[in-house]
Amino acid sequence: MPEKDTQVVTPIRKLVSVVGVIVTLVLAVGVPVGYGSVRYFDELELLEFKTGMNASQLGRYIYQNPKSWRDNFLRLRSVIAPASRVDHPLRQKIYDIDGNEVLEIVAKVAWPTNTARVPLFLSARKVGTLEVTSSMRHLMLELVFITLFFVAQGGLAFYTLRVLPLRVLDATIGNLQAAVRRAQVADRAKAEFLANMSHEIQIGRASCRERV
């Protein structure tokens, strides 16, 4: 490729490559990270909401039984147990003001987990803490699927935005170079033909002069 053509084509190739890489990174990395961040905070907000609802119910029970609320385990369990479903179990713990565990509802919570803590109050005085742990396994599996999908989309975008345009560019440049070479060959043939004609004419004139 001539040096002049190379100076023109190289920036175009770089621009196409940069655009392809940027779009690929956005699809393969940016979208899964953004989606995962939004879903994580949604799950955290939902867990905090559930914990707050349970803490509110516990607060009413503690208000009704300010002295004996720590002792009635069955009643405490019945207050907070409905929040834990079979398809989405929650591990819940109640601590008193000194940090001693009052009750634990044990549930099999798969890793990774997320935990929310809400204080328990009696007449604006803190008397304990409710701790709720939820599994984030479903979110992790969801992110794996989303990541694989968008990595594939990123690879397709890279092929579409970089490989194909560069192939078209190379083919176009090749056609142009072939056309230039054909034109140069035609020009040389034309120049040789004119030179031969001029030479034949000169020979013919010289021959005529000798005869005269």
Side-chain angles (χ1 to χ4, degrees):
M1 184 180 296
E3 183 178 354
K4 184 177 181 181
D5 293 339
T6 302
Q7 293 176 352
V8 175
V9 173
T10 300
I12 298 177
R13 295 180 65 91
K14 289 182 178 179
L15 178 61
V16 171
S17 299
V18 169
V19 171
V21 170
I22 290 175
V23 173
T24 301
L25 290 177
V26 169
L27 287 175
V29 179
V31 173
V33 169
Y35 178 84
S37 300
V38 172
R39 288 286 290 113
Y40 172 80
F41 286 109
D42 285 344
E43 291 287 332
L44 180 60
E45 184 178 357
L46 178 61
L47 180 60
E48 290 176 346
F49 174 77
K50 291 180 179 180
T51 307
M53 292 293 293
N54 273 8
S56 178
Q57 295 177 358
L58 278 174
R60 287 195 293 269
Y61 173 71
I62 293 172
Y63 179 78
Q64 296 170 357
N65 304 272
K67 295 183 179 180
S68 61
W69 69 271
R70 301 179 188 84
D71 304 324
N72 195 339
F73 300 124
L74 293 178
R75 179 57 179 159
L76 288 173
R77 181 180 293 272
S78 66
V79 170
I80 63 175
S84 182
R85 305 195 314 268
V86 175
D87 60 336
H88 195 183
L90 302 174
R91 183 170 61 243
Q92 304 186 76
K93 295 181 180 181
I94 301 174
Y95 297 94
D96 61 17
I97 189 62
D98 298 322
N100 300 315
E101 184 177 300
V102 176
L103 175 69
E104 178 182 10
I105 297 181
V106 180
K108 188 177 181 180
V109 179
W111 181 89
T113 62
N114 202 0
T115 300
R117 297 176 180 84
V118 175
L120 303 173
F121 292 97
L122 174 62
S123 300
R125 180 173 58 88
K126 183 179 177 181
V127 295
T129 303
L130 173 63
E131 178 184 284
V132 179
T133 301
S134 174
S135 174
M136 303 291 284
R137 176 67 60 85
H138 62 288
L139 177 58
M140 183 180 70
L141 296 177
E142 187 177 329
L143 286 179
V144 169
F145 174 78
I146 292 294
T147 301
L148 292 176
F149 175 78
F150 278 100
V151 165
Q153 293 297 313
L156 180 61
F158 183 78
Y159 180 81
T160 303
L161 295 176
R162 184 184 184 277
V163 177
L164 289 182
L166 290 181
R167 285 185 178 179
V168 173
L169 179 63
D170 291 339
T172 302
I173 293 173
N175 293 333
L176 291 175
Q177 290 175 340
V180 170
R181 285 193 295 269
R182 287 194 296 270
Q184 291 174 346
V185 171
D187 289 340
R188 285 195 297 269
K190 181 179 179 181
E192 291 176 359
F193 173 77
L194 293 176
N196 291 333
M197 289 294 296
S198 176
H199 181 66
E200 293 294 336
I201 291 173
Q202 289 177 359
I203 293 176
R205 287 179 179 177
S207 177
C208 291
R209 288 174 184 172
E210 291 176 358
R211 290 176 184 175
V212 172

